[in-house]
């Protein structure tokens, strides 16, 4: 087997097709002595004459006839492996893309994104999975997910990224809160119970808030952790809890709720959402289309 190379297998196929050393040589743009040498090597490898002289040219042996379809199949598979990737056409593609995103990112981005995909790429399927900060890099490296959409304050250097949209954090309390009036004091922010989403690992939002609180020498009192991020405004509207949420989410969910929107009593960083992906996907035509589509959709929010 160590004596076989791809060109030798191609020479075999040419000889089987042409039944002539000279015609096979012309077919592969080789000299006749080079083709004769290739036939000699093939005979040595297969321990069989393979092609014998006859009145009509060269006649294949039974061994040659038996191995020909298998050799052609091998070459076909090799050609398929090294062939340029097929062009990606979103109008006809039925590809599935797997992303991770928080409920907030889904809420902000997906309505407009899926409306656009439904028009431009009706066969494309999008699957959104819950984020897991501990496994995110492994998932991207292994190709289990195509992209991460998140607010990441300390991005992993091995990942590529593209900015999508920004938001700020605001506080909400019920309109007739017994303690909080038109402004929220730092002492109230520290002492009153907070409602937060509960996910695998601490969210970037929670980390940013906790760091800002710790810098002021305080610690939040988290009185409720919930699975459904979007239920928090409804809980706040009927309780004495405080919640710190993205401004876009609050603006969309609270107009019909008895809620007051207040500025946080301490400086909090802006939320800067981006798409993250691994180098393994960077040159993939379908992935490039998805990145452009998501970025363009986010720019119109």
């Amino acid at each position: 087997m160590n004596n076989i190379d791809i060109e030798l297998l191609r020479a075999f196929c040419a000889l089987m097709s042409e039944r002539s050393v000279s015609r096979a040589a012309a077919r592969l743009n080789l000299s006749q002595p080079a083709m004769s040498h290739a036939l000699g090597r093939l005979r040595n490898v297969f321990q069989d004459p393979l092609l014998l002289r006859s009145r009509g040219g060269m006649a294949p042996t039974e061994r040659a006839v038996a191995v020909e379809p298998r050799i052609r199949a091998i070459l076909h598979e090799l050609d398929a492996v090294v062939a340029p990737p097929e062009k990606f056409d979103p109008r006809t593609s039925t590809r599935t893309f797997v992303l991770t995103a928080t409920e907030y990112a889904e809420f902000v981005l997906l309505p407009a994104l899926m409306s656009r995909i439904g028009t431009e790429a009706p066969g494309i399927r999008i699957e959104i999975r819950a984020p897991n900060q501990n496994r995110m890099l492994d998932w991207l490296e292994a190709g289990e997910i195509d992209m991460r959409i998140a607010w990441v304050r300390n991005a992993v250097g091995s990942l590529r990224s593209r900015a999508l949209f920004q938001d700020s954090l605001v506080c909400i309390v019920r309109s007739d809160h017994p303690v909080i009036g038109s402004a929220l004091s730092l002492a109230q922010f520290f002492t009153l119970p907070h409602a937060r989403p509960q996910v695998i690992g601490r969210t970037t939002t929670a980390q940013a808030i906790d760091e800002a609180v710790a810098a002021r020498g305080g610690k939040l009192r988290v009185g409720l952790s919930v699975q459904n991020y979007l239920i928090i405004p409804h809980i706040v509207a009927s309780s004495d809890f405080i919640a710190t949420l993205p401004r876009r989410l609050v603006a969309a969910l609270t107009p019909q709720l008895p809620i007051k929107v207040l500025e946080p009593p301490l400086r909090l960083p802006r939320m800067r959402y981006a798409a993250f992906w691994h180098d393994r996907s960077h040159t993939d035509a379908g992935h490039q289309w998805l990145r452009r589509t998501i970025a363009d959709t986010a720019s119109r929010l």
Side-chain angles (χ1 to χ4, degrees), residues 5-21:
D5 57 39
I6 302 303
E7 295 309 315
L8 194 59
L9 295 181
R10 296 194 190 282
F12 172 83
C13 291
L15 286 163
M16 291 295 288
S17 296
E18 299 294 340
R19 302 289 202 270
S20 162
V21 170

Side-chain angles (χ1 to χ4, degrees), residues 186-219:
L186 190 61
Q188 291 169 335
F189 189 76
F190 286 171
T191 58
L192 292 172
H194 287 248
R196 270 188 175 177
Q198 179 66 47
V199 298
I200 300 173
R202 202 167 41 145
T203 65
T204 302
T205 302
Q207 292 175 3
I209 294 170
D210 289 346
E211 289 173 7
V213 167
R216 300 294 293 269
K219 183 178 181 180

Side-chain angles (χ1 to χ4, degrees), residues 77-89:
E77 288 298 320
L78 287 171
D79 288 340
V81 167
V82 300
E86 295 182 4
K87 291 184 177 181
F88 176 81
D89 185 351

